[in-house]
Every structure is written in C-alpha cells, then in structure tokens.
Amino acid sequence: MPKRPAAVLTAAALTAALLAAVPSSAASAACNPDPRDLMVTYQPVDHTVADAQYHLARLTIDNNDNSCALGSAGWALYFNGVRQPTAVLAGEVGDIGRKQLASQGLAVARADAAQSGDFYALKPADGFKAIAPGERREIDIYFEVWAVHKSDAPSGWTIAYNGGKPAWVPAKSLLDPTDPKQTKAFSGDKRPVETAATRYAENTTPKLDLTLQQSLVPQPLSAKSNGGTIAIGGASPVTAPRELSREAGYLRSALKDVARGRGAPISLSVNPKLDVDGDGKADAEGYTLSATDKGVQIVGTDAAGVLYGIQTLRQLIPTGGYKTAAQGHRAWNVSVPQAEIADAPLFGYRGLHIDTGRHFESKQTILKFLDLMSFTKLNKLHLGVTNDEGWRLEIPGLPELTDFGSKRVHDLQEKDGLHQGMGSVNDLGGGDGVNGKARNETEANLGQRPTYQGYEDNTLNFVGKGSGYYTVKDFEEILRYASDRHIEVIPELNFPAHARAAVQSMERRYQKTNDGTYRLLDPEDTSKHVSVQYYTDNLANPCLASTYTFLNKVVSEVAKMYGRAGVPFNRLNLGGDEPPGPPAGWWSGSPACKKNPDTEGKTGEQLKELFFGRYNEIAQKHAKTTAGWEDITDPTHKFRLKNFAPLPWQNVWGWGREDWAYRFANEGTPVILAHATNLYMDLAYNKDPDEPGYYWAALVDEESTFTYQPYNVYANATSDRWGNPVTPNPDWTKLTAEGKKNILGLEAQLWAENGKTPGIREYQAFPKLLGAAERAWNRNTPAPEKMGEAWNVFNNTLGQKTFPLLSFYKPVGIYGDDGVNYRIPLPGAKITDGTLTANVRNPGLEIEYSTDGKTWRLYTGPVKVGDTALTRTRSADGRTSRISPVGVGNWQGVESYRPGDLVRHQGELYRATRPRSGKEPGRTQHYWTLLR
C-alpha cells in the first residue's frame, strides 16, 4: 500500500487526538486550513422527521489543521448530491430547510451559473462560528426523501477560499445498519436490513451433484456425458471452411490461452438445416457439440451457432486449467468430457445495455464485456454514448461534442466543459479545475485498498470517469471486435431529453462561430421544466430545422463508422426516455415553435410525436431499424413508428406501466423487454447499506434476473421495492399467443450513476448478468412453481463451476485484464451457546471465520467461538467477500476494551489494538483498526 502523506492520513482517520488544539484567537485571519486536513462525513440520522418527504442528515466537518481555523466567511464547500438539500427547493419544505441551516450560520444553493443539475455549494452566512483547529462541527441538514445506502451520500467535495481554485476535501459516508431511524426510509418501508442472521435463514440451497447440463450457463437444451475425457490444447488441429475463419481463429486463441500443446482435432462446420429441437425447422444460432475419443465436432446452423458451440467447449475446460494458466504455467493440454450437446436460444435478441454517458468506460472495459457477453451467449450490446452528463463518441465535423461535451470540470460558468456531475470530473487526473486530488484509488479510499466488493469511500472522492470519449478509431475497433463475436452494437443517441451534453455543446459552437446550423435550443424559449436529475436545460427543440440537421449529421457519421468497420448498421436506439415535466410544458414558451408553420399551435405531445417521426426517418436512412424507450410510443396513444421496437422498462408495481410490454406485443409491435424490477443490474443487490446502487424500482440480485418470467412478468410481482406484498392486478393485460411472437427478447441494463470503476461495473453485472443470460437463452423457463428447484441448481452451478471459472477468465484477444470481479456473497451465520454455524448462498464456495479479525480459519462445520465472530466467503482466486459479523455489539464509550476485541460503530467494524477507555473508533489512531 502506498505511503500516504501525514495530512491525508490524519484526515482519513479523523485523528483529532493527535493534533494540539490551538486557540482560535491564535489563528491568523489569512490562514485557511489545508483542504486535505479537512474531512466531511455524511450520515443520515433520522428518516422519521417528515415521512417520505425529507430526512435529517448530519454533515460532520473535522478541521484537523493544527493552526488554521475554517473561518466565518470567505469559503465555499462544493459537492454533488443525488438527493437535493431541501434548502434549494421552493415552498414550505424549502423554507424549513433554509431556516434550519440559517440557524447554524450556513446556506446552500445550486453552485453553477446555469442553476441546472446536481451541483451545490455550502457557504457560511450570518452567525457562522469559525471551526477552530482540531474542532469537529456537526451540522444538521435536511435532504429530500431518503438515504438508506451509503452510495446515496453527497460526493465530489471541494473547498474554495475567497473565490480561488477549489481543492479536494476528503469525504466519507456512514450509516448504522442497527439504527432503524437510519435504515427505514419511511413508515411504509417493511424490508429488513441484511444481516448474518437473515442470510443464514435465506441460504437454504443444499449442495447438489451437478449433471453436465447443469454445469453450464446458460443451460443447453440437452447434454449427455458419455464417460471418459478427451485432451485438447492450443496446438489442437482446428479445421473449418473459409467462412468460419474468424470462429476458428477465436477458438485457437482461446485454447492457446489455456494450454500450449497438441491435443485431439477439432472440426467446425455449418449445416443451415440443423434442427436441434426436433420440430422440423432449422434453429437459428443453434449448434451441436460432439466430443469423442476421435476429437471434437461443432456444427452450427450458422456461424453464430458455431461460436456458441465454441463457448460451450470453453466452459467444459476444468477450472484447474484456467487457474494454472492464470498463474503463468499453462498445461500441455486440458481434458474435457466426452459428451453430446445440442442447443439453440429462446430469443433472437439477448442484450446488455452499458451506459457510458453518466460515467465513461474505457475501450478496454467495453471489449472485455463484449467477450463476456459472447461467453454467456448474449448478442446485442446497446451502448449508451450520450446523456445529460456526457457525450462519448467523436463525430467528425462537430468537435465541440467531445472537446466540450465529453468533459466534466469544476467550472461554474461551464466555459471549458460540463460542470462537475455525479461526484466526478476527470477521475483522479488533472486539467479539470480541481486541485490536490488523491494520487490513486487507495489514497482516495482514505488509506484502504479498494476491493470493489461493495461500497467504497473513494467513489465520493473523485474516482470515476466523468470525462472521456471513444475516438472514431476506438468505435470502429469496438464494432469489429463485437462482430467477430456475433454481437450487434446498437448505439443510443438519446433525444430530445437527457440531451444536455449535446445541447450545450452545440450552444458553445454557436457562441464561438455564430453559425446556427446545428443549434439545438431556442434562446428565447421561456418554458420551465426540471428533469429527474434536476436539469433545466437539457431538451433539444423539435421546432428548429437545425435540430434535424444535427441529427442527420451525427447519424450519418455513425453510419460511416459502421461502413469502414465492415459491419452492418442494423439498429439505432433513439433514446426518448424521461422528458421532463408534464407534456403541456414541453416547448410551450418557445417562439420558434410558434413561428414555425409546421409546429404552430401543436401541443407538447404533438411536438414530441413530430420530433420522433422525423428522427426515426433520419435514423432509418442509415440504419435498418430503430429502438427506444417505452416513453416514445405510449400504448395509451395511437402514435407508432415504422420498424421501431420499444423497450418497456418502468414496470414498478403500482406505478401504472406494469403491462405496457404486453399491450405493445398484443397489438403487433415488436418489443424488447427491459423491466427495471428484474433486469436493472445497477440497482443494489439487497438492503445492506454497503451495497452500492439505487433502489428506486426494486432491489435486484441474481435471483431477480434468474427467476424473471419473460412471458408472465406478473409472476414476479410478489413484493414491492419496500418489501410490501403485491397482488397482481387482474386487469393487467395478459400476453396472448400472437403477442408472444412479438417479444424479440430481453435486455439487462447496466446504468452508470454508481458505476464509477470497471470493478464496480463487474460487481454489479456478475452474477446478475448470468441470470439474465439464462432467461434470454434457455428455452426451458421453469414455471413459477418449479422455479425454486431450478434456483437451487443455479446456485450450485455458480458456486461449483461458474464462479471459479470467472475467477481466472481470460478475455480472448485482449490482455492485462483477466478475471472477473463478480460479487462474492456474504455468508450467513449464527452463534448458539458459543457455537458458530455458517452457510453460504452458493454451495462450493469456502467460508472463513475469525474471532479477532486478524487470524482467519477455514470453516468446515459448527465450531466453538464464544459470543462473537466474524465470517467471510472466499473465492477460488483468494478474494473475499465483505466481512459479516456475528454477535458483535456496538461500541460503548464507557467500556474498556482489550486488544482483539471487536465492536461496530456507526456501521463500521473495528478491532481494538491496545487497551483503552473512552477512545472512539474512527476518531483516534492506534487504538482501533478498521476491518473491511
């Protein structure tokens, strides 16, 4: 671990005890604390103050500078917040928030000149008393609605003195899972917090002996083991016709990554009439795999089917082969079972959406996900390259989109880029207006090396790619890499809402050139609207000819990239979600709309329909088909688009859109299922404050994705997001036999608000994506009454086979990013009469226990431990889950503790390192060690 400067160590550990307090009179008026010697801690403390409307939070400011006071004027603390401080709101709630802060000599307001988005400034006001050196000040502040996960905390804290340049202020988030006032969002929240005890009760899956078919994800239609094995290696002869040269090359590369020697021959071929299910019809993307003592034969209905047969062969390779290769010692060859496998998919559309607008992801990360998609037989990458917070694709002729729109900076006037958003600017790099950031992710994580097995404080401290974009060359490489894996890349250019990056980029272009050719806003528009992310200036105007000139330019340039990459441009996603405010307000104050004869007198809804009609026509000049969010073509309206497939997403039980997917399908509209309750992988796994992610639609884990019922989604309506029972409404539209034919497939969603690093993205996606892949591919979707049995098998498959394989996974064709940071499940445990009993969700994973947090032992069965213990799960590659404490009590300030004693304090876990009395964990060095 890199050595941290003393000032940062002090701030991270809040070591006020080490600092000699200096009387405030001794501090010079010109003396300001070093920003790194400050610390801001956020903690929600009471959700009962205004049921479901706002909650009481505490901001603790520690001034660990040993000579300078944080003065009574002349500074501003800047931050982003997914929850608005109520003091920025209008009306009575805002008045209450402003009065509360004013009583403490403080005020908060939106920070940027545009007054748009999630960026705020906290400043001293009349009556603020300086925070003396060594002093800790607790500030009560109201934030809207609730905050029951640590990732809900404000982020990206900086301080600026006297209008100077801002500098990083270390921050952390606390939340005590044992305090109902902190964890119960409102009176209707019935969902308990996850604990070792709740997990122990839930972990009921017995360990099973898996068949060959059950060992594969997704499960094939049939798989029969014939006994014995066959050896294959990197030098195994691979024969294939010319049209399968890409697939043969992929196989050779994959085998060379695992074994270096010669093995049995492998043949690849295509049979267009291949019928794997015996219904008399050829099965697109189907394959058969035959492994005998003479070699391996893979036959596909098409080239894609051949590749999927190769992916199944890769899964047949024992984990030991991958592990040995990962350790740098490839075996001569590896043995796979002699078997007969036949397989074909349920859906032709098996998708993953990756949002890169909110936070950017490198080309390397996208390529790795593409290879993992192919490995799990997914075939559509919906790549979100635009949003309010960033434009991520170079467009020749419109450099402003990336020179301005791909950058986030601390710039209140937004001259050089979009303002800081979602707690990030240019990651930990420079050039973004923030001084003194941490040098690496460990320093940003306050001295703890991040493992991304849950919430990490560095996600509050500027870790996250707010800036970045794909060059034309990058995008064309992504297209070719995807095409080699039979994955179609579907870019999303999101309009007219969620378009702030584009709108403001083109406005900067206009201001610079006075050329309105591509302008997207009417400068005289007085319409008022606020988006879900609090933006007031993110709508492209449908009444301007320049809007359509812009769209045509962008889509045509994207089409050229497909052409140069030699890849067909089959589909463009138009976006179209979440237009802000009621339709009556859309562009109602735009003189351009009133002057244009094509738009004069039209309602907001009519203008929206006009926009999408024209946008769809533009798109389909270049792409064969289009898609977009359900918001574009509401089934309660007659408006429909040609060759367009909606993605119904907002099926939250009780919100009124539960049956939109089936209403579309029954009327003959092709549908891509994207239901948030089961397929939004960025939502938190469960109600544990240390699980990163939102929970607006539901808590989503791999059980949510695996048990999803594409043709009977109402079977998943068992409880709402707050744990209250749900009864499906008998009036919800049922899917008809004809409607079933219009379900193209499903798409898992990986939104980026909390996805600030590749490690978090992988943690959010795996194992959830494996459940989604199962439901997209496997034709044998268990009926609801049979799902429990199938779930037990899937748990065993993950624990015994899939997780160990992913631990040593090597993407084909890219290097230096091996293994997958899948979520390692926390164990369940209980202590009875001093005996620890533990279990794990996925049989096959190892459990470890400790009585002091220092020495860990393998758990093999009930063991005497005393009154307290710690447990954790260990993966095949040695990584571990977060620690799950059993019987560990909260710190009591009046007690004396001995070295090795364990306590919980404000939701964090500590081990005493020396005898002490009254020393508070987290506030004093040397007496306590933080355990993760």
Side-chain angles (χ1 to χ4, degrees):
M1 183 183 300
K3 184 175 177 63
R4 288 157 49 88
V8 178
L9 284 168
T10 299
L14 303 176
T15 54
L18 296 180
L19 303 173
V22 178
S24 58
S25 59
S28 165
C31 178
N32 293 313
D34 186 321
R36 286 185 171 219
D37 283 337
L38 299 174
M39 167 68 83
V40 175
T41 304
Y42 165 85
Q43 186 170 17
V45 293
D46 193 349
H47 283 92
T48 69
V49 292
D51 202 29
Q53 200 171 14
Y54 56 88
H55 67 276
L56 175 64
R58 180 164 297 138
L59 292 179
T60 302
I61 301 177
D62 283 84
N63 180 10
N64 295 315
D65 192 294
N66 60 7
S67 58
C68 299
L70 183 62
S72 58
W75 56 266
L77 275 168
Y78 296 97
F79 63 94
N80 294 114
V82 65
R83 304 286 186 250
Q84 296 181 98
T86 61
V88 305
L89 303 176
E92 182 181 1
V93 170
D95 291 339
I96 293 170
R98 286 183 285 274
K99 183 177 179 181
Q100 178 202 48
L101 284 176
S103 69
Q104 301 166 88
L106 291 162
V108 68
R110 297 192 189 278
D112 62 312
Q115 297 287 284
S116 179
D118 68 339
F119 194 29
Y120 307 98
L122 179 71
K123 299 180 180 181
D126 291 344
F128 182 77
K129 183 181 177 182
I131 302 177
E135 181 186 351
R136 181 170 70 208
R137 178 76 54 82
E138 292 182 344
I139 297 165
D140 286 347
I141 181 170
Y142 292 136
F143 282 88
E144 64 179 350
V145 293
W146 43 72
V148 295
H149 286 248
K150 289 182 180 178
S151 54
D152 292 333
S155 57
W157 290 87
T158 62
I159 193 166
Y161 295 116
N162 301 310
K165 292 184 177 180
W168 170 51
V169 173
K172 71 183 303 180
S173 177
L174 293 176
L175 206 159
D176 185 351
T178 68
D179 183 354
K181 286 188 175 183
Q182 295 185 39
T183 61
K184 186 170 182 174
F186 69 112
S187 58
D189 180 4
K190 306 302 182 185
R191 194 176 294 277
V193 175
E194 288 278 323
T195 64
T198 63
R199 285 189 291 273
Y200 187 84
E202 292 168 356
N203 292 341
T204 58
T205 296
K207 189 169 184 178
L208 304 174
D209 292 328
L210 298 171
T211 66
L212 176 64
Q213 183 181 29
Q214 293 169 340
S215 299
L216 302 170
V217 175
Q219 274 194 29
L221 276 174
S222 66
K224 180 183 178 183
S225 178
N226 296 326
T229 61
I230 181 174
I232 58 175
S236 284
V238 177
T239 59
R242 179 177 297 179
E243 61 267 26
L244 293 179
S245 59
R246 291 190 304 175
E247 290 71 27
Y250 184 93
L251 174 59
R252 293 187 185 101
S253 180
L255 291 178
K256 287 177 181 176
D257 286 339
V258 181
R260 66 187 189 280
R262 189 174 179 87
I266 304 172
S267 70
L268 310 178
S269 62
V270 169
N271 176 5
K273 297 181 179 180
L274 185 65
D275 175 15
V276 299
D277 59 6
D279 67 353
K281 300 177 182 178
D283 294 297
E285 300 179 283
Y287 68 91
T288 59
L289 186 155
S290 175
T292 69
D293 56 2
K294 296 181 180 180
V296 179
Q297 289 185 323
I298 296 174
V299 181
T301 313
D302 45 34
V306 171
L307 181 66
Y308 297 135
I310 291 170
Q311 301 296 14
T312 296
L313 181 63
R314 290 178 73 197
Q315 285 199 44
L316 294 177
I317 295 172
T319 300
Y322 288 105
K323 182 176 182 179
T324 301
Q327 293 171 340
H329 306 289
R330 287 181 300 153
W332 179 253
N333 52 38
V334 290
S335 296
V336 298
Q338 294 188 32
E340 302 291 333
I341 299 173
D343 204 5
L346 171 64
F347 291 123
Y349 190 111
R350 305 178 302 278
L352 169 64
H353 167 227
I354 300 180
D355 163 27
T356 67
R358 270 62 181 270
H359 281 96
F360 182 65
E361 283 301 343
S362 70
K363 178 183 68 177
Q364 181 90 354
T365 297
I366 298 301
L367 297 182
K368 182 178 181 181
F369 265 98
L370 282 166
D371 201 64
L372 285 163
M373 287 175 65
S374 176
F375 188 68
T376 53
K377 302 181 173 68
L378 300 176
N379 66 350
K380 311 289 182 185
L381 174 63
H382 168 187
L383 189 60
V385 292
T386 75
N387 225 294
D388 291 320
E389 297 84 3
W391 182 283
R392 307 303 187 186
L393 180 59
E394 179 185 15
I395 300 297
L398 295 177
E400 295 83 5
L401 286 171
T402 44
D403 290 349
F404 178 89
S406 75
K407 297 177 181 178
R408 292 215 286 264
V409 296
H410 192 295
D411 178 358
L412 306 186
Q413 303 299 321
E414 296 184 290
K415 294 179 180 178
D416 300 316
L418 300 166
H419 64 65
Q420 175 183 316
M422 296 188 169
S424 69
V425 279
N426 188 31
D427 205 15
L428 297 180
D432 55 18
V434 176
N435 292 338
K437 284 185 292 186
R439 295 167 298 182
N440 54 53
E441 291 190 354
T442 296
E443 189 175 355
N445 208 39
L446 309 180
Q448 296 279 331
R449 184 178 65 84
T451 63
Y452 300 115
Q453 282 295 313
Y455 168 81
E456 301 282 7
D457 277 319
N458 66 9
T459 59
L460 304 186
N461 292 309
F462 289 107
V463 166
K465 296 180 179 66
S467 299
Y469 67 93
Y470 306 111
T471 65
V472 169
K473 183 179 179 182
D474 289 337
F475 189 66
E476 291 172 4
E477 182 179 344
I478 288 170
L479 292 176
R480 285 189 290 268
Y481 189 91
S483 179
D484 285 347
R485 287 150 183 77
H486 294 280
I487 296 172
E488 176 187 340
V489 177
I490 303 168
E492 178 182 338
L493 305 174
N494 197 352
F495 291 92
H498 283 304
R500 188 173 193 266
V503 170
Q504 298 305 320
S505 294
M506 291 302 94
E507 196 59 15
R508 299 311 182 275
R509 180 184 187 278
Y510 173 78
Q511 292 166 358
K512 182 174 64 176
T513 66
N514 203 33
D515 177 6
T517 302
Y518 300 110
R519 204 174 190 187
L520 296 174
L521 62 77
D522 174 1
E524 298 179 6
D525 189 355
T526 60
S527 308
K528 301 293 183 183
H529 55 78
V530 181
S531 76
V532 176
Q533 285 81 23
Y534 322 126
Y535 291 107
T536 59
D537 51 1
N538 70 339
L539 270 174
N541 193 302
C543 307
L544 302 173
S546 52
T547 293
Y548 304 102
T549 303
F550 171 86
L551 292 172
N552 189 67
K553 168 67 173 175
V554 171
V555 177
S556 65
E557 292 294 341
V558 171
K560 292 176 186 176
M561 298 178 206
Y562 278 81
R564 285 190 296 267
V567 175
F569 191 7
N570 290 325
R571 194 182 295 270
L572 175 72
N573 190 296
L574 310 179
D577 62 318
E578 298 184 322
W586 298 337
W587 310 288
S588 58
S590 170
C593 291
K594 295 179 174 63
K595 294 175 184 176
N596 185 337
D598 293 333
T599 59
E600 181 183 7
K602 292 189 183 298
T603 66
E605 189 69 40
Q606 290 170 328
L607 290 174
K608 185 194 87 168
E609 293 176 2
L610 179 147
F611 171 82
F612 281 114
R614 294 192 63 180
Y615 186 15
N616 198 54
E617 289 177 2
I618 290 169
Q620 291 183 15
K621 289 179 183 176
H622 307 282
K624 294 178 183 178
T625 61
T626 51
W629 302 108
E630 66 181 15
D631 315 54
I632 293 175
T633 55
D634 181 337
T636 65
H637 292 72
K638 294 181 179 179
F639 176 68
R640 295 293 181 271
L641 293 171
K642 181 182 179 182
N643 298 326
F644 171 86
L647 282 78
W649 61 281
Q650 202 172 164
N651 71 312
V652 182
W653 315 122
W655 282 18
R657 295 189 179 186
E658 299 88 344
D659 64 354
W660 277 25
Y662 297 163
R663 293 174 70 173
F664 281 129
N666 288 350
E667 72 177 22
T669 299
V671 170
I672 301 163
L673 302 174
H675 286 138
T677 56
N678 291 77
L679 299 175
Y680 270 45
M681 301 186 302
D682 62 295
L683 299 179
Y685 274 91
N686 54 49
K687 191 177 178 181
D688 178 337
D690 280 299
E691 287 294 348
Y694 293 160
Y695 41 93
W696 62 267
L699 293 164
V700 174
D701 62 5
E702 70 272 24
E703 186 174 10
S704 306
T705 55
F706 179 83
T707 61
Y708 180 63
Q709 297 278 331
Y711 295 135
N712 181 19
V713 67
Y714 312 138
N716 297 113
T718 56
S719 65
D720 67 14
R721 56 183 172 151
W722 303 116
N724 299 289
V726 169
T727 301
N729 187 330
D731 293 331
W732 288 342
T733 300
K734 308 298 189 297
L735 184 64
T736 64
E738 283 301 307
K740 193 174 179 180
K741 298 175 183 177
N742 293 314
I743 303 295
L744 300 181
L746 62 84
E747 183 177 285
Q749 307 293 318
L750 193 58
W751 294 96
E753 290 93 333
N754 289 287
K756 294 184 176 182
T757 71
I760 295 175
R761 296 285 191 129
E762 292 181 11
Y763 177 90
Q764 290 176 327
F766 291 93
K768 298 180 194 182
L769 188 60
L770 301 171
E774 191 75 31
R775 292 286 71 84
W777 179 275
N778 191 340
R779 293 187 178 185
N780 297 317
T781 303
E785 63 273 14
K786 297 287 187 180
M787 191 59 82
E789 180 182 346
W791 170 241
N792 284 341
V793 171
F794 186 66
N795 272 335
N796 275 273
T797 306
L798 295 183
Q800 296 184 46
K801 301 290 185 178
T802 315
F803 283 162
L805 192 157
L806 291 177
S807 286
F808 307 108
Y809 183 83
K810 187 175 183 63
V812 176
I814 57 174
Y815 300 95
D817 196 8
D818 301 343
V820 177
N821 186 48
Y822 56 86
R823 179 181 184 269
I824 305 168
L826 280 69
K830 65 177 182 178
I831 294 176
T832 306
D833 297 328
T835 297
L836 171 72
T837 308
N839 58 19
V840 69
R841 181 170 191 152
N842 304 109
L845 294 176
E846 292 183 341
I847 301 172
E848 296 179 333
Y849 73 97
S850 174
T851 55
D852 61 3
K854 191 173 183 180
T855 302
W856 291 86
R857 299 177 177 87
L858 180 65
Y859 175 84
T860 58
V863 59
K864 284 286 186 181
V865 294
D867 295 332
T868 64
L870 306 177
T871 61
R872 67 187 185 187
T873 306
R874 178 174 289 276
S875 67
D877 57 3
R879 296 178 303 118
T880 60
S881 70
R882 301 194 303 277
I883 294 173
S884 177
V886 192
V888 177
N890 286 334
W891 173 72
Q892 304 294 323
V894 297
E895 292 187 11
S896 181
Y897 293 89
R898 298 169 300 174
D901 284 348
L902 304 170
V903 300
R904 300 175 75 170
H905 183 53
Q906 302 289 18
E908 296 187 306
L909 182 66
Y910 293 90
R911 175 173 57 86
T913 54
R914 62 174 63 178
R916 53 163 307 279
S917 179
K919 302 293 186 180
E920 183 179 0
R923 303 288 183 181
T924 47
Q925 274 189 331
H926 307 307
Y927 288 90
W928 296 98
T929 296
L930 177 66
L931 303 176
R932 302 289 292 273

